[in-house]
Amino acid sequence: MESFYIAVFISMVLVLFAIFSSLIAFRFGAPLLLLFLLIGIVTGVDGFGIEFSNYNLAYFIGSIALAVILFDSGFGTSLHSFRQAAAPALVLSIVGVLITSAIFGLAAMVLLGFSFPEGLLLGAIVGSTDAAAVFFLLRIGGIHIRDNVRSTLEVESGTNDPFAIFLTLTLVNILAAGQSYQDLDLTLLTGFLRQMGFGLAFGFVGGVAIVALIKRFQHDQGLLPILVLAMALLVFSITGALDGSGFLAVYVAGLYAGNAKIQSALSIRRFQAGMTWLAQIIMFLVLGLLATPSQFTEILLPALALGLFLIFVARPVAVWLCIRPFRYTRRETGFVAWVGLRGAVSILLAILPVTGGLENGEVYFNAAFVIVLVSLIVQGWTIKPTAKRLGLIVPPRTGAVEKLEVDLPGAVNHELIAYRVARESPVLKGERIPRWARPSLVLRNGRSMRYQYAGRLQENDLLYLFVDPGFSRLLDRLFAGAVAVASDDNEFFGSFAVSPSRPARELDAAYGPGLLTEAESEMTIAELINKRVGGQADYADRIRLGQIILIVREIDDNGRIASVGVSLEPVDPSNKLPPLAGVQVGWERLQALMEKFRRA
């Protein structure tokens, strides 16, 4: 019995230490998930001496944690973002993983002496980006990049895990059975169609069921977030039991439920955020405990070389080939290639060769662990500087806003929001609150008072307002602090502005011909931008027309485009790009050289 309490004590100490260590990560910009992993390593057999070698238990815990993370990833992804990035992200999730695995497999043959099937297996293990790492850096890490790039990375990280897991399982089964990789074609195709098809179907049905249950749930609202999570894991388990992709199903269910109009959505999101943090901490700690760093020395140099090869060659080539047909600039392509973080999913998949009884099972695990460490160290620390260097950071639309949303029970027609009045906010300068927002209560210096008796608002007042659903974001600019205007805002938003109501054919006449289709020539510039982005355009959205870029500078209170910038974007000098973008630069230079020889 004492051992039980000791195990609980040690587990909670590790979780608490991981939570408090996050302050260090936020302060110094360290990759937080790397810190969680290192805590597990230091506590393990080569550190403080805690021995944990149960691979099956680790895979079970990691799979449940990954399902929780993927459900929250889908729940937090808007349909606008998904539609905007679905095509390139899904190509990256399937074709990109396959290309990355194949290229990486060739390098593994040289550096580790593997056969091609074995190298392909290691490539599949490290072939997918880590949803936890990508979502943490983009959503929590304070990196505000262009919407189409961010959406592409988020959707890719949420959808490429199912294919990587399927490919890894298929290769492990083939190698364990002693089959030839030439038998892979039919097995891969039929298994892929079955697993992905079941995943999509059961995920959609599960999402519909979750929304229906939420709307009919009339009991204690504290149980509602637990009900949603339990339903998500039920979808995951049923789909997996029927030989479908449970990870894809749980992501699709989250995507559907997160975009439906449901009660207590805010409390569900808060609960999901807490559970996702807990899942990430537990998964990284367990996988860190599973590692034996003293065994890394045998494959350290080849694994380091493979990690760098993955970052600078395999991932960039795969990204460039996959998204070349889509409208991405060279800088955007380079950034997507750079944000290819490997994390817990790769270590989780590296358990499968061990549990599958493959000859080099420990080699797969140790090599994958080192590769993940290289990725988190090299890429995790450089995401924000790279985004700045490539000019992808979106200038702030408003200053900092301290905002609190309060859930109201039932199917109410209003939302309750509280704003902390910031220094130099427009509301302090006399700008009036719109009539559709109804101020109710002011908290000032620890005292509460009705709005009509509070007099003029003061700095640091906390003001509660009732607003119509969907209008809350329009109030942000009234309560935000002053915007720090970046020196490169004009460069980001273009050299000059044009009216969005002007005919699009004027652009074709000025910068064409051949920029537009016949139907697009009859549109306004605003209609053209909305068509090209696949829906309602948002602040800082960009589309390319030949050698020019159209940029949404401003959005009015009704969500319509108010101003459009035009950037005569020059060819990017190669010395301003990170090394990974050299693939595209080299290709373009080779094409130019071939054309020069042809003319000569």
Side-chain angles (χ1 to χ4, degrees):
M1 185 60 71
E2 289 183 3
S3 60
F4 167 76
Y5 292 112
I6 292 173
V8 173
F9 173 78
I10 293 174
S11 301
M12 293 305 100
V13 167
L14 286 176
V15 171
L16 289 172
F17 186 68
I19 292 171
F20 286 113
S21 66
S22 64
L23 301 176
I24 301 174
F26 283 121
R27 175 66 180 83
F28 296 101
L32 184 56
L33 303 181
L34 171 64
L35 194 58
F36 295 160
L37 199 61
L38 291 177
I39 292 172
I41 294 174
V42 171
T43 313
V45 64
D46 286 343
F48 294 156
I50 297 179
E51 186 173 353
F52 177 74
S53 57
N54 192 329
Y55 287 92
N56 288 310
L57 179 60
Y59 187 78
F60 173 79
I61 294 173
S63 297
I64 296 297
L66 180 59
V68 172
I69 293 168
L70 287 176
F71 180 75
D72 184 58
S73 300
F75 202 86
T77 300
S78 68
L79 277 179
H80 169 73
S81 296
F82 185 82
R83 282 194 296 262
Q84 185 180 40
L90 292 177
V91 171
L92 283 170
S93 299
I94 300 172
V95 182
V97 168
L98 201 56
I99 294 174
T100 302
S101 302
I103 297 174
F104 185 88
L106 295 174
M109 291 174 62
V110 176
L111 294 172
L112 291 176
F114 280 177
S115 64
F116 180 69
E118 292 173 330
L120 187 62
L121 173 57
L122 184 57
I125 288 171
V126 299
S128 69
T129 58
D130 189 81
V134 171
F135 273 74
F136 170 78
L137 285 171
L138 296 184
R139 291 188 179 180
I140 305 173
I143 302 176
H144 304 286
I145 58 174
R146 299 178 188 175
D147 192 48
N148 65 322
V149 179
R150 178 186 56 80
S151 300
T152 301
L153 291 168
E154 289 186 357
V155 175
E156 181 207 4
S157 68
T159 56
N160 63 7
D161 290 340
F163 182 69
I165 293 168
F166 160 74
L167 185 60
T168 302
L169 283 169
T170 303
L171 289 167
V172 167
N173 292 334
I174 287 177
L175 290 172
Q179 295 176 289
S180 169
Y181 72 92
Q182 295 172 349
D183 300 327
L184 182 63
D185 296 340
L186 185 59
T187 306
L188 184 65
L189 179 60
T190 56
F192 171 76
L193 292 177
R194 181 182 64 254
Q195 289 217 359
M196 300 304 124
F198 282 7
L200 288 171
F202 285 113
F204 177 76
V205 172
V208 172
I210 290 172
V211 172
L213 277 176
I214 291 174
K215 291 181 177 179
R216 288 169 174 76
F217 192 80
Q218 302 298 328
H219 302 286
D220 188 347
Q221 294 299 299
L223 293 173
L224 191 56
I226 302 175
L227 171 68
V228 172
L229 182 60
M231 284 293 297
L233 294 178
L234 189 65
V235 171
F236 167 73
S237 59
I238 291 176
T239 308
L242 295 176
D243 203 19
S245 175
F247 296 101
L248 178 60
V250 78
Y251 178 81
V252 172
L255 183 66
Y256 183 91
N259 286 277
K261 293 182 178 180
I262 55 177
Q263 63 177 352
S264 302
L266 183 60
S267 62
I268 293 173
R269 292 182 191 278
R270 287 174 179 166
F271 178 81
Q272 283 292 133
M275 289 303 300
T276 300
W277 271 111
L278 182 61
Q280 290 174 174
I281 291 172
I282 291 176
M283 180 165 60
F284 276 81
L285 289 178
V286 168
L287 294 176
L289 283 170
L290 198 61
T292 307
S294 59
Q295 298 177 357
F296 292 171
T297 55
E298 301 174 7
I299 49 90
L300 184 60
L301 291 180
L304 287 173
L306 285 172
L308 296 175
F309 181 84
L310 177 64
I311 294 171
F312 291 101
V313 180
R315 165 74 177 179
V317 170
V319 169
W320 178 69
L321 290 174
C322 288
I323 68 174
R324 185 171 175 79
F326 303 97
R327 299 184 180 95
Y328 288 86
T329 66
R330 184 188 302 171
R331 293 171 182 265
E332 292 169 343
T333 303
F335 187 72
V336 171
W338 191 248
V339 188
L341 286 98
R342 270 59 190 175
V345 176
S346 296
I347 303 175
L348 189 66
L349 292 181
I351 295 175
L352 294 175
V354 179
T355 57
L358 296 190
E359 181 180 356
N360 296 313
E362 293 288 346
V363 176
Y364 287 107
F365 183 83
N366 293 332
F369 208 103
V370 173
I371 291 167
V372 168
L373 290 177
V374 171
S375 175
L376 289 175
I377 292 172
V378 175
Q379 294 170 294
W381 243 302
T382 58
I383 294 295
K384 194 167 186 176
T386 302
K388 286 183 177 179
R389 186 179 182 186
L390 295 178
L392 298 177
I393 299 290
V394 177
R397 188 178 180 184
T398 63
V401 181
E402 188 176 338
K403 179 178 177 181
L404 173 67
E405 298 181 26
V406 182
D407 263 330
L408 296 177
V412 296
N413 295 321
H414 289 84
E415 296 175 344
L416 179 58
I417 298 177
Y419 283 97
R420 177 79 63 183
V421 180
R423 179 183 298 179
E424 299 183 10
S425 63
V427 76
L428 288 181
K429 300 175 182 178
E431 189 159 344
R432 299 183 60 181
I433 298 173
R435 289 192 297 175
W436 43 261
R438 304 173 189 176
S440 175
L441 187 70
V442 176
L443 298 184
R444 178 182 298 158
N445 299 326
R447 297 175 53 208
S448 63
M449 60 195 79
R450 292 185 180 181
Y451 174 74
Q452 55 266 38
Y453 302 132
R456 290 179 62 89
L457 290 174
Q458 301 176 16
E459 183 184 345
N460 289 325
D461 280 355
L462 190 64
L463 174 64
Y464 286 81
L465 307 96
F466 288 95
V467 299
D468 293 330
F471 284 82
S472 60
R473 64 181 182 83
L474 304 179
L475 290 174
D476 288 355
R477 64 180 185 84
L478 289 180
F479 296 93
V483 179
V485 180
S487 59
D488 58 350
D489 278 9
N490 289 334
E491 179 183 351
F492 182 91
F493 285 111
S495 306
F496 57 92
V498 296
S499 171
S501 61
R502 301 292 300 175
R505 60 176 174 270
E506 293 182 356
L507 296 173
D508 199 49
Y511 303 103
L515 298 180
L516 310 174
T517 64
E518 186 175 345
E520 289 174 338
S521 299
E522 303 302 320
M523 298 178 179
T524 64
I525 293 176
E527 291 169 342
L528 171 66
I529 294 175
N530 287 331
K531 174 182 176 294
R532 289 289 183 96
V533 300
Q536 186 65 41
D538 202 355
Y539 173 74
D541 278 353
R542 303 159 71 91
I543 66 167
R544 175 180 285 278
L545 294 176
Q547 295 300 313
I548 68 170
I549 304 289
L550 299 183
I551 310 156
V552 179
R553 285 190 169 193
E554 295 180 24
I555 296 289
D556 64 19
D557 288 346
N558 295 316
R560 293 190 292 262
I561 300 174
S563 178
V564 174
V566 179
S567 173
L568 305 176
E569 190 167 287
V571 177
D572 297 323
S574 59
N575 61 352
K576 289 188 178 180
L577 293 171
L580 56 93
V583 175
Q584 184 164 346
V585 174
W587 174 256
E588 292 177 356
R589 288 180 177 176
L590 179 61
Q591 286 180 316
L593 187 62
M594 291 174 64
E595 179 65 19
K596 182 178 179 181
F597 277 119
R598 188 186 67 80
R599 291 179 179 177

